[in-house]
Amino acid sequence: LSFSFPTTDEKMQYIVPHAIVKAENQLFKIESIDEPGNIATINCTHISFDLAYCRFIPLFQHYGVSPSTVLNAVLTDTPFSVGTVEIDILTDIVLSKTNPMEVISKLIENVGGELVRDNFTISLVKKRGKDNGVQFRAGKNLKDIKRKTDTEIITRLYPFGKDDLDISTVNFGVIYIDSPRINDYPYPIEGYMDFKDIENPTELKVRALKEFSTVDRDGIDKPRITYTINVVELKKLAEYGEEFGVGDTVRIIDEALGIDTVQRIMEYEYYPYEPNQSKVVLSNTSAALYKKNTLTGVYAEIGRAKDTVKK
């Protein structure tokens, strides 16, 4: 959350670091205050980011338990509680000198799913968002569009587990796996990934295969395409139009540019009183939230940064 406030207003006394701000029924904590003149700019993070600081856990160790069990255990003695849990895959999690944020990041890495944060309630769902047939179309509600293609891909993956475990014993003596799309390119594009928590070669191979594209999502073997669009929110201008939010599946149509594609909303930036200033970022890549460029990836990065400082 970001907002401006007059420095001369008597209520400015309440604008202090770590104070809580409520906006559209969600709680945010003030992280920084910039006062270049008579107008201060206040930047806040959602209250759920306190998961990185609200509890230090010397050792979190659970074997063969459900995500619901993990969440209830890790949120014990914190202000947070468990909401909806739609995934029941059993998993092992062993982390030392950790916190709830890192544990939740690890949980999603192991079992999949996506986070939904509602103030102090944390839910883990299979897939957030809806498909209501929403369209962003040039001449209707689409002001402009930018397309970015990231060509960094891997079609031959070398997976490694704990202590550099490889998959040769369960993969005909070969330590790599090939994508079904490997012949789409002139030659194999090689790379490796570490799964340091996996100690079994069969589990390691199964986990690595999930990195490739499926019918439902694009993986490391396809270029990542990101669309950034500026839109007019018709719903806020009149009593009609289409509502949308993070995680929703939508269709982008720009006939002049030859674009007609279905994507998911990864980011949604909006101004409550300026519906013609909204910006939406969409991608064809699965919103596996443990990835670096998504929210839980941010959680993980914060955790790693704290660990680096300690060392």
Side-chain angles (χ1 to χ4, degrees), residues 6-247:
T7 56
T8 55
D9 192 300
E10 62 178 11
K11 295 179 182 177
M12 187 66 193
Q13 62 181 307
Y14 303 114
I15 306 295
V16 295
H18 298 286
I20 302 298
V21 178
K22 188 175 184 179
E24 299 195 353
N25 295 317
Q26 291 297 311
L27 301 178
F28 299 83
K29 178 177 287 187
I30 294 177
E31 294 292 337
S32 67
I33 305 168
D34 186 11
E35 302 180 52
N38 293 329
I39 300 295
T41 299
I42 296 93
N43 295 296
C44 315
T45 55
H46 191 264
I47 196 67
S48 65
F49 276 72
D50 279 5
L51 287 165
Y53 313 104
C54 64
R55 181 188 176 195
F56 171 71
I57 306 173
L59 178 63
F60 189 86
Q61 185 173 251
H62 288 266
Y63 297 95
V65 295
S66 68
S68 180
T69 298
V70 172
L71 288 172
N72 278 291
V74 78
L75 297 182
T76 298
D77 298 326
T78 76
F80 297 90
S81 61
V82 180
T84 301
V85 181
E86 296 180 350
I87 299 175
D88 55 8
I89 300 172
L90 301 183
T91 187
D92 302 337
I93 295 184
V94 180
L95 293 171
S96 61
K97 298 178 181 177
T98 189
N99 58 63
M101 183 179 285
E102 291 180 340
V103 172
I104 293 173
S105 298
K106 186 62 179 176
L107 174 64
I108 294 177
E109 181 179 343
N110 288 358
V111 305
E114 299 175 356
L115 281 184
V116 176
R117 302 158 300 134
D118 183 9
N119 292 320
F120 291 99
T121 301
I122 307 299
S123 296
L124 178 63
V125 299
K126 294 179 180 178
K127 183 178 180 180
R128 65 179 294 173
K130 304 175 182 178
D131 184 354
N132 293 325
V134 173
Q135 293 184 6
F136 295 125
R137 181 187 290 269
K140 173 194 171 188
N141 55 358
L142 175 59
K143 294 169 60 179
D144 59 68
I145 183 170
K146 296 179 182 178
R147 178 169 57 188
K148 178 183 177 182
T149 302
D150 185 350
T151 59
E152 184 178 344
I153 63 174
I154 296 174
T155 60
R156 175 167 288 170
L157 177 62
Y158 292 77
F160 295 100
K162 184 176 181 180
D163 299 326
D164 287 333
L165 172 75
D166 62 50
I167 61 173
S168 58
T169 56
V170 294
N171 198 48
F172 308 103
V174 179
I175 66 171
Y176 61 81
I177 53 175
D178 286 343
S179 160
R181 301 177 58 88
I182 194 167
N183 294 324
D184 291 355
Y185 306 93
Y187 49 83
I189 303 171
E190 301 189 344
Y192 76 93
M193 296 183 72
D194 287 318
F195 305 91
K196 295 185 180 297
D197 61 310
I198 298 180
E199 303 179 30
N200 181 283
T202 299
E203 182 184 351
L204 177 61
K205 182 177 179 180
V206 171
R207 177 65 184 81
L209 285 169
K210 292 181 180 179
E211 294 296 324
F212 293 135
S213 299
T214 66
V215 175
D216 298 322
R217 65 171 181 83
D218 291 345
I220 60 174
D221 52 353
K222 291 184 67 176
R224 175 183 173 86
I225 300 176
T226 302
Y227 295 89
T228 301
I229 61 176
N230 291 309
V231 301
V232 178
E233 295 198 57
L234 300 179
K235 180 66 177 180
K236 294 181 180 179
L237 288 176
E239 292 303 319
Y240 65 92
E242 303 165 321
E243 294 188 29
F244 53 86
V246 173

